[in-house]
Amino acid sequence: MSTIIYPENTSPAADAEAIRKACQGWGTDEKAIISIIGHRNATQKKLIRQAYEELYCEDLVKRLESELSGQFEKAVYRWILNPRDRDAVILHVAIKERAIPNYRVVIEYSCIYSPEELLAVKRAYQARYKTSVEEDIAQYSTGHLRKFLVGLAGTYRYVGDELNARVANSEADILHNAISTKDFNNEEIVRIISTRSTTQLVATLNRYKDHYGSSITKHLLDDTNEGNKEYLLALRTTIRCISDPQKYYEKVIRYAMNECGTDEESVTRVIVTRAEKDLKEIKEVYYKRNSVTLDQAITNHTSGNYKAFLLTLLGNE
């Protein structure tokens, strides 16, 4: 469930005027900006952007980029965008704008989003960057990891509750036979994990655990071959995204906030992309796992307007 608290009836023109006023004068009124866009859903934000452009012949997104700074600006920028444009930007940053590409984002979108949502993200990516997601993945990855990620991003998984128990049993055995001999690059592993429907794959993973006494992620390890490290991590991440998305996102946020520092990019990604979807469930999983609320963790690990904005999206008044 969503964590966003927003009024049902708003005036896009009035919101646009208030944001304009907050951006004028000697300094930007960040609190006013948070109080408006932090309490608007995707449809309302779209209408505000349209109203702002009609009133002032100016792009609201670009205006906010120029007025704000730091992690606060990045979070607001991602939040104010159309959801599919936002996802395209996040994907592009993850693949091309980091010293080390963050392939987890590719996996999240390929496995947690519906096939139609993923297709819409890929269209937005092409429109914005004049290249395909698969092309950029291929350019910035190598070997078995490249083959797996390109296939994953290019798959249109079947969506439905149908499952074949015989296939689940058979493919659990296929996976075990390949993994037990450390044949991690076996094409059958890639085929099963990257193409089966979520319902079918979860059934296979459950059969694997029942038959072989452990979850498959614990067997997808290879201390003898450093070259397989990223590829095996990608396999494990895929399985976690498909098996339990909320538990996966909880882990991303937990790892992003620790004694060594805060990975703001990951924290922002999870909160802005899930706030209108399942962030309430993610918050519950986080509390059960850590015995501290996500709101309190954000308070402890962030600061300033960035903290205030994230807390607003978390439903904290």
Side-chain angles (χ1 to χ4, degrees):
M1 293 177 64
S2 169
T3 54
I4 301 300
I5 299 173
Y6 60 90
E8 291 294 334
N9 300 309
T10 62
S11 167
D15 285 342
E17 290 171 3
I19 293 173
R20 177 78 167 188
K21 182 179 179 181
C23 294
Q24 293 179 323
W26 289 104
T28 305
D29 187 348
E30 290 90 351
K31 289 183 179 179
I33 292 172
I34 293 172
S35 70
I36 298 169
I37 66 169
H39 291 288
R40 300 293 185 270
N41 63 25
T43 300
Q44 292 168 333
K45 286 180 291 180
K46 180 180 179 180
L47 294 174
I48 293 171
R49 293 196 307 271
Q50 292 173 347
Y52 190 93
E53 186 163 0
E54 290 172 1
L55 287 168
Y56 306 111
C57 298
E58 182 182 31
D59 187 323
L60 175 58
V61 176
K62 291 181 179 179
R63 181 58 186 262
L64 291 174
E65 276 189 286
S66 68
E67 292 289 335
L68 310 178
S69 62
Q71 295 300 327
F72 177 50
E73 180 272 323
K74 290 181 181 179
V76 169
Y77 174 71
R78 283 154 176 71
W79 178 246
I80 197 71
L81 288 174
N82 171 281
R84 299 293 79 90
D85 284 331
R86 172 205 305 149
D87 293 329
V89 168
I90 291 173
L91 258 181
H92 191 264
V93 170
I95 297 170
K96 299 188 69 172
E97 297 182 23
R98 290 169 53 102
I100 301 174
N102 184 356
Y103 300 119
R104 289 188 308 182
V105 180
V106 175
I107 296 169
E108 288 172 16
Y109 290 173
S110 300
C111 299
I112 297 175
Y113 282 29
S114 73
E116 284 298 323
E117 287 175 327
L118 176 60
L119 192 59
V121 173
K122 289 163 64 176
R123 285 175 176 151
Y125 192 99
Q126 286 197 24
R128 182 176 282 264
Y129 300 111
K130 312 309 177 187
T131 181
S132 72
V133 171
E134 292 90 339
E135 184 180 357
D136 282 346
I137 292 171
Q139 182 180 352
Y140 289 89
S141 58
T142 59
H144 298 292
L145 178 64
R146 171 196 286 169
K147 184 176 182 180
F148 177 68
L149 291 175
V150 169
L152 197 66
T155 297
Y156 191 97
R157 291 183 192 266
Y158 170 70
V159 178
D161 296 329
E162 292 83 0
L163 69 87
N164 187 315
R166 180 183 58 79
V167 170
N169 285 324
S170 171
E171 294 190 341
D173 292 338
I174 290 171
L175 290 172
H176 182 262
N177 291 338
I179 292 170
S180 62
T181 59
K182 294 193 179 296
D183 184 15
F184 298 114
N185 302 323
N186 189 300
E187 290 188 357
E188 287 295 274
I189 294 179
V190 174
R191 177 186 67 80
I192 294 167
I193 293 178
S194 66
T195 68
R196 287 299 188 193
S197 72
T198 297
T199 301
Q200 184 66 48
L201 184 53
V202 168
T204 297
L205 297 174
N206 288 337
R207 297 294 194 283
Y208 186 102
K209 185 175 182 179
D210 292 342
H211 291 176
Y212 302 107
S214 179
S215 65
I216 192 172
T217 53
K218 294 182 179 178
H219 292 164
L220 286 170
L221 299 167
D222 186 7
D223 296 331
T224 64
N225 187 347
E226 185 68 21
N228 269 340
K229 185 176 180 181
E230 278 194 333
Y231 168 61
L232 291 176
L233 177 59
L235 290 178
R236 295 195 301 273
T237 301
T238 300
I239 290 166
R240 290 182 176 120
C241 284
I242 288 174
S243 299
D244 193 333
Q246 287 76 37
K247 186 176 179 181
Y248 164 78
Y249 280 123
E250 181 280 325
K251 188 173 184 179
V252 171
I253 285 196
R254 174 161 40 91
Y255 277 39
M257 297 186 290
N258 54 58
E259 294 80 5
C260 299
T262 302
D263 174 6
E264 291 92 349
E265 188 175 299
S266 293
V267 172
T268 298
R269 181 177 83 252
V270 174
I271 292 178
V272 302
T273 61
R274 309 313 296 182
E276 291 190 77
K277 294 183 176 180
D278 57 356
L279 190 54
K280 184 171 287 187
E281 288 86 349
I282 294 168
K283 288 175 66 174
E284 292 170 358
V285 174
Y286 189 93
Y287 182 73
K288 289 179 182 178
R289 174 62 177 77
N290 303 285
S291 299
V292 62
T293 65
L294 181 54
D295 299 55
Q296 186 59 54
I298 292 294
T299 299
N300 293 341
H301 290 274
T302 62
S303 61
N305 292 314
Y306 176 57
K307 175 179 74 175
F309 184 57
L310 294 183
L311 290 174
T312 299
L313 298 187
L314 284 165
N316 190 316
E317 292 284 14

